[in-house]
Amino acid sequence: MHEFELVIENGTLVDPERNKITVGNLGICRGRIVAITREQLSGRQHIDAGLAVVCPGFIDIHTHVDNGLDGAYAMLKQGVTTAVGGNCGMGTGDMAGFFQPFEYGGFPIHQLMFAGESFTLREKAGIVNPYQPATAEQIRQIAYLAEEALEQGAAGISFGLEYAPGTSFEEIAAVSRVAARYGKLVAIHTRHDGWAGLGAIKEAIDVTRLTGAAVQVSHLVYMVGMGMMADAIRLLQEAVDSGLDITADSGMYHAFATHIGSAVFAAGCVEKWECQYSDLLVCTGPFAGERCTKELYEELRSNYPEELVVAYVGKEADIYTALAAEFVMVSSDGGLGSFIPGTGHPQNVGTFPRFFQTMVRERQQLSLLEAVRRCTLLPAGRLGLKNKGRLKVGCDADLVIFHPARIKDCAAYLGDGRPDAEPAGLECVIVNGHIAVRQGELGAAVSGRSMKVENRCWNWM
Ligand SMILES: [Zn+2]
């Protein structure tokens, strides 16, 4: 009898591609699924799933992991086996330098990388002030840098328009046309949040309409989760129905976190969000755990611009409204910040468990199959990953085993609990055929790699 490297027995196998749930065993060799059967298999290592769910590893399309080990381990512990970094216009501009250390393994999870436009490429083109528009020559230069990054394996281009208010539509369109030629994604953290966020979503729709680029609208709940989500989803649904190549992602928390020194927290933000200074909670650095006053806000803006602050400005119901739409995938926005134990944002470790806990079990808004599709096959299709996000012979053995009745986010905002508390109900995470996490304990293998994305065409539907 053939001996596999790893056998998973008695799994409730959730396959989002065939849209089927069956019970069976998996045989894994050299990082691939090589057998799916009801027959008994023999392996060097066995995991008895005990009828827990076995599904493809989660793919997080919106993170800031960017070669950061702490962020990657947090992802892994919530079942993410592939994360896309370089979002919101941030991240390294040096693609070769990004891929080199982990191209053949050695990272906890697999990662893809966007080239960040709003910070990185703009700065490389000599634009130091985010409020400054690019000249025609600088736009040409940015488009050239974008092309170079795509040639070197970037999965797409990301914008953080809210962080770089000087960005013209012309600049966005020039870069997006390059991405369209490569058949790669343009991820857009839109220009405004709150009520102005609806107009900003129209701008993102215009990007795909006018350039033909495939657009991914980033972390919806953090942009339009302040009571206008239903309107935002309606706009996006109309765009999807009219055949435009646009999808979106959204998180599981209604309070976002970003750098206090950024344009997001510019003077007037409290008035814009119709909130109080005390709705801003410092979550990293020497003031971690403190609520803002006007004085502390100004002190942080001037002297601690890199610290992360959580803004309690969202409405919980908008989380669920966003994720009800079939074109919305789950994303964490995780990986930013310093990862000092006991600080940070719960999204780093709790997003995907919270998705199954609330959307499937507590609210019964999504079937288990549909929920798995949103975390696996849908982002895989969007990123052109043909061997991930599927439970099929020949596909990559990146897998999650979890208990649907028990999976639970245990992390909480600072002040309410530990932001880095690990989730419950996850049995095992397998990366590239190796056990990476088992019952919360890290395995010895570090077999994830940085993946270059080749030119390609695909269709998400
Ligand atoms: Zn963002």
Side-chain angles (χ1 to χ4, degrees), residues 87-211:
N87 271 287
C88 305
M90 304 176 189
T92 178
D94 173 15
M95 282 297 146
F98 166 78
F99 285 114
Q100 194 271 330
F102 305 115
E103 194 177 350
Y104 302 103
F107 201 65
I109 56 174
H110 303 298
Q111 52 177 352
L112 281 72
M113 194 66 176
F114 288 143
E117 201 274 352
S118 306
F119 290 85
T120 316
L121 301 187
R122 282 190 121 229
E123 275 166 28
K124 275 189 154 188
I127 306 167
V128 286
N129 177 353
Y131 292 88
Q132 184 191 323
T135 63
E137 175 51 33
Q138 283 167 330
I139 290 177
R140 268 195 296 279
Q141 208 178 335
I142 293 169
Y144 173 80
L145 291 166
E147 174 146 18
E148 187 179 60
L150 296 175
E151 275 293 331
Q152 289 173 344
I157 306 290
S158 79
F159 288 93
L161 298 176
E162 193 182 16
Y163 295 107
T167 312
S168 65
F169 188 83
E170 196 190 347
E171 178 182 335
I172 306 167
V175 175
S176 300
R177 276 188 210 102
V178 176
R181 255 199 293 122
Y182 280 76
K184 290 185 178 182
L185 212 51
V186 173
I188 304 179
H189 169 145
T190 45
R191 197 180 286 275
H192 301 291
D193 60 22
W195 285 105
L198 293 174
I201 284 188
K202 287 184 188 160
E203 182 182 49
I205 295 170
D206 282 344
V207 172
T208 181
R209 190 199 321 279
L210 297 172
T211 70

Side-chain angles (χ1 to χ4, degrees), residues 219-270:
H219 45 46
L220 282 180
V221 69
Y222 292 157
M223 306 310 301
V224 286
M226 301 104 186
M228 59 295 293
M229 185 63 77
D231 295 300
I233 291 294
R234 191 171 37 74
L235 289 172
L236 288 165
Q237 185 70 59
E238 281 168 15
V240 167
D241 291 345
S242 73
L244 293 176
D245 195 358
I246 191 162
T247 46
D249 57 80
S250 195
M252 294 308 305
Y253 305 87
H254 62 285
F256 70 82
T258 193
H259 304 287
I260 184 72
S262 72
V264 170
F265 283 113
C269 68
V270 166

